């Protein structure tokens, strides 16, 4: 009996998933609960376990391909027994008095491959070769074209003849037609520099595919703009925070904000249709850029962790993001996020509220007096203006509490 393995939905917001790696190949026995593949979705890589026992009959989605949630990605042939190797029954040779001579073995038929002499080609191949002045017969004699030659063989020959390997890569990036370029440059050898000059002169855009991480971000940001939200702009005096390379300003703010969230349960809540879910712990996300991708990993139970523990955890999450190994657990659970662009010299900015969270804090650059602009974006369905103002006021007091800062520094 065949059983379809479907692309799972690891989270409420997941719509598509990409096969990163198959850990089983076709014909392998799969035990119930065994991990058979790694799936990338929602900026994380998750393990896909089998809910059934059987033999992996067919892989329907190759590594690197992305499909919608609920689509079949493999076929499992259900079985209760492991596939057995066919056993060859060994029998004792029987000796007979009048043994017949063994039959003459039949030789396997060999399929003959007829190689056509030079000059054979399809009508389209002949037409294309004439257009570009190619002598099909001579090229076939030299072994540079097959016999018979088809249109695709002529086109392949043209690209290899007139383009360097790097220029061939650029052809794909800019979606250019090689025949047009061959005519444009009148049969010259086209290298990378020549092709880039051509692209710049005609202002031709490069085709850049959108990664699955970026697709997930775009989807969630589009949903975020549908949430009724508002901003609070304030200037914070952060001069008492002794941040350095070991404990950066972001690390300090994660801890201070997480402690403050314990006094405001709506900052630890998420909105559902007819109720709120209020978490007991302060789970703080951080906006983390790695290359062209943006991640939002989460530091959980911040109120119970020391500044040193938070600093180490942030470094670990960054390393996992750089290696592309963030798990769904690393990315879920935050109700508030901190985005710090002050380190890049940005004075102030508005940050988009992450979908499913109630607040994001955009941190700007500190001036010579240690003051920084901070913008708060709140989900109005969960946190009203009065409670938001109290939260901001509480934070401004926390960063100026000398005893509290000294206590955190020692932790």
């Amino acid at each position: 009996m065949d059983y379809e393995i479907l692309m799972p939905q690891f989270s409420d917001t997941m719509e598509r998933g990409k096969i990163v790696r198959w850990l089983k190949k076709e014909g392998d026995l799969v035990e119930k609960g065994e991990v058979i593949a790694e799936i990338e979705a929602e900026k994380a890589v998750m393990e896909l376990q089998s809910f059934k026992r059987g033999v992996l009959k067919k892989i329907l989605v190759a590594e690197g391909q992305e499909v919608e949630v609920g689509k079949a990605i493999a076929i499992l042939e259900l079985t209760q027994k492991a596939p057995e190797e066919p056993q060859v029954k060994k029998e004792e040779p029987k000796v007979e008095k009048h043994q017949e001579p063994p039959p003459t073995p039949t030789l396997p038929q060999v399929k003959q491959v007829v190689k056509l002499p030079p000059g054979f080609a399809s009508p389209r191949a002949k037409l294309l070769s004439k257009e570009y002045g190619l002598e099909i017969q001579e090229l076939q004699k030299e072994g540079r074209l097959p016999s018979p030659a088809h249109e695709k063989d002529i086109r392949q020959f043209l690209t290899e003849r007139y383009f360097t390997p790097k220029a061939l890569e650029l052809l794909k990036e800019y979606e250019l037609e090689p025949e047009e370029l061959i005519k444009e440059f009148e049969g010259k050898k086209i290298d990378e520099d020549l092709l880039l000059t051509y692209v710049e002169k005609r202002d031709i855009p490069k085709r850049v595919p959108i990664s699955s991480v970026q697709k997930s971000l775009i989807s969630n940001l589009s949903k975020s703009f549908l949430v009724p939200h508002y901003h609070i702009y304030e200037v914070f005096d952060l001069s008492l925070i002794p941040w350095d390379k070991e404990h950066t300003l972001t690390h300090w703010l994660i801890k201070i904000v997480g402690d403050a969230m314990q006094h405001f349960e709506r900052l630890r809540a998420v909105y559902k249709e007819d109720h709120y879910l209020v978490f007991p712990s302060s789970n703080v996300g951080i906006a983390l850029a790695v290359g062209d991708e943006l991640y939002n990993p989460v530091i959980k139970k911040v109120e119970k962790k020391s500044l040193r523990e938070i600093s180490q955890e942030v470094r670990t999450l960054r390393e996992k993001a750089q290696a592309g190994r963030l798990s769904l657990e690393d990315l879920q659970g935050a109700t508030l996020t901190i985005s710090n662009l002050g380190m890049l010299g940005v004075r102030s900015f508005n940050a988009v509220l992450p979908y499913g969270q109630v607040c994001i804090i955009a941190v700007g650059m500190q001036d010579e007096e240690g003051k920084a602009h901070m913008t708060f974006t709140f989900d109005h369905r969960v946190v009203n203006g009065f409670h938001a103002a109290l939260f901001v006021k509480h934070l401004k007091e926390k960063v100026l509490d000398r005893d509290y800062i000294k206590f955190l520094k020692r932790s």
Side-chain angles (χ1 to χ4, degrees):
M1 177 180 176
D2 288 347
Y3 171 79
E4 287 188 337
I5 300 175
L6 308 179
M7 174 60 71
Q9 186 174 29
F10 290 105
S11 68
D12 294 338
T13 57
M14 177 179 169
E15 297 175 352
R16 300 173 65 87
K18 183 173 76 174
I19 305 295
V20 176
R21 183 166 60 118
W22 283 104
L23 302 179
K24 291 286 186 178
K25 62 181 183 295
E26 292 181 358
D28 283 355
L29 176 68
V30 178
E31 297 289 350
K32 182 178 179 181
E34 191 173 7
V35 178
I36 59 173
E38 293 178 345
I39 309 290
E40 180 184 298
E42 298 288 284
K43 308 182 186 180
V45 176
M46 285 77 74
E47 294 180 338
L48 173 62
Q49 296 182 352
S50 176
F51 294 103
K52 303 284 185 179
R53 186 180 191 273
V55 175
L56 189 58
K57 184 178 180 180
K58 182 72 174 176
I59 291 176
L60 304 176
V61 180
E63 292 180 356
Q65 287 188 331
E66 188 178 31
V67 297
E68 297 83 5
V69 167
K71 185 174 181 179
I73 59 175
I75 302 294
L76 195 68
E77 185 178 356
L78 301 184
T79 179
Q80 296 300 321
K81 296 181 180 179
E84 297 179 355
E85 294 291 332
Q87 295 183 352
V88 180
K89 187 177 180 181
K90 296 181 180 180
E91 297 182 354
E92 293 292 330
K94 295 181 180 179
V95 181
E96 299 181 3
K97 292 182 180 180
H98 302 285
Q99 193 170 14
E100 294 291 333
T104 303
T106 303
L107 296 176
Q109 293 184 349
V110 179
K111 186 178 180 180
Q112 291 184 342
V113 179
V114 179
K115 186 175 181 180
L116 297 174
F120 282 83
S122 69
R124 286 288 300 167
K126 289 180 179 179
L127 186 64
L128 191 61
S129 62
K130 184 179 180 180
E131 185 179 348
Y132 289 95
L134 302 180
E135 293 291 339
I136 290 181
Q137 188 170 354
E138 292 300 320
L139 292 172
Q140 287 173 332
K141 285 180 181 179
E142 296 172 7
R144 300 169 72 183
L145 279 178
S147 184
H150 298 280
E151 181 184 2
K152 65 179 180 63
D153 302 315
I154 303 298
R155 294 189 184 279
Q156 180 66 28
F157 174 80
L158 286 171
T159 56
E160 292 176 356
R161 178 178 182 178
Y162 291 105
F163 295 90
T164 63
K166 184 61 180 177
L168 285 174
E169 294 179 15
L170 292 174
L171 280 179
K172 297 177 182 177
E173 289 184 10
Y174 289 93
E175 296 183 318
L176 300 172
E177 291 295 333
E179 289 85 357
E180 293 180 7
L181 289 166
I182 293 171
K183 291 178 181 178
E184 173 75 20
F185 293 104
E186 300 177 343
K188 294 179 183 177
K189 189 75 171 182
I190 302 171
D191 60 13
E192 178 185 3
D193 293 336
L194 198 60
L195 196 54
L196 287 175
T197 302
Y198 175 86
V199 164
E200 184 180 357
K201 183 178 179 181
R202 286 160 180 77
D203 197 25
I204 299 172
K206 180 169 67 173
R207 184 179 186 274
V208 179
I210 299 175
S211 68
S212 58
V213 172
Q214 191 69 12
K215 286 178 182 177
S216 175
L217 178 65
I218 292 170
S219 175
N220 286 335
L221 289 178
S222 300
K223 295 174 184 176
S224 293
F225 272 102
L226 300 176
V227 174
H229 59 275
Y230 61 97
H231 306 291
I232 290 180
Y233 304 92
E234 263 296 350
V235 177
F236 274 63
D237 185 349
L238 305 176
S239 59
L240 294 184
I241 298 179
W243 60 273
D244 51 31
K245 290 184 178 181
E246 183 179 2
H247 304 311
T248 68
L249 179 60
T250 300
H251 301 155
W252 275 92
L253 290 177
I254 291 170
K255 176 58 180 172
I256 295 170
V257 169
D259 286 351
M261 289 167 66
Q262 287 297 299
H263 301 281
F264 299 86
E265 69 171 24
R266 288 294 177 90
L267 273 299
R268 292 180 276 112
V270 292
Y271 169 79
K272 298 298 179 182
E273 290 185 0
D274 60 353
H275 62 277
Y276 299 117
L277 292 177
V278 180
F279 294 93
S281 298
S282 299
N283 301 326
V284 180
I286 49 170
L288 194 65
V290 177
D292 293 332
E293 310 294 2
L294 182 65
Y295 298 90
N296 189 198
V298 184
I299 310 296
K300 297 188 172 68
K301 302 182 185 298
V302 171
E303 76 282 0
K304 295 183 178 180
K305 293 178 178 176
S306 67
L307 186 62
R308 188 176 301 277
E309 289 172 327
I310 291 170
S311 300
Q312 182 56 51
E313 192 167 339
V314 171
R315 293 188 185 95
T316 300
L317 288 170
R318 177 177 287 279
E319 290 170 1
K320 292 176 73 173
Q322 290 170 338
R325 305 304 301 176
L326 284 171
S327 68
L328 194 62
E329 178 66 22
D330 294 327
L331 296 168
Q332 286 188 333
T335 59
L336 180 151
T337 284
I338 294 173
S339 178
N340 184 1
L341 293 182
M343 63 186 78
L344 300 176
V346 175
R347 181 172 176 269
S348 66
F349 65 103
N350 289 339
V352 179
L353 186 67
Y355 184 67
Q357 299 186 31
V358 298
C359 178
I360 185 168
I361 305 174
V363 183
M365 176 187 66
Q366 282 185 269
D367 61 20
E368 295 178 355
E369 297 178 353
K371 294 180 180 179
H373 290 260
M374 293 172 66
T375 305
F376 296 76
T377 305
F378 293 97
D379 181 347
H380 209 322
R381 300 170 305 176
V382 184
V383 185
N384 63 38
F386 177 71
H387 288 121
L390 290 177
F391 175 66
V392 173
K393 180 175 179 293
H394 181 78
L395 275 179
K396 292 186 73 174
E397 293 169 353
K398 296 283 280 187
V399 297
L400 291 175
D401 186 336
R402 293 181 181 275
D403 293 335
Y404 171 66
I405 297 299
K406 287 180 181 179
F407 171 77
L408 293 184
K409 188 177 180 181
R410 291 195 300 267
S411 65

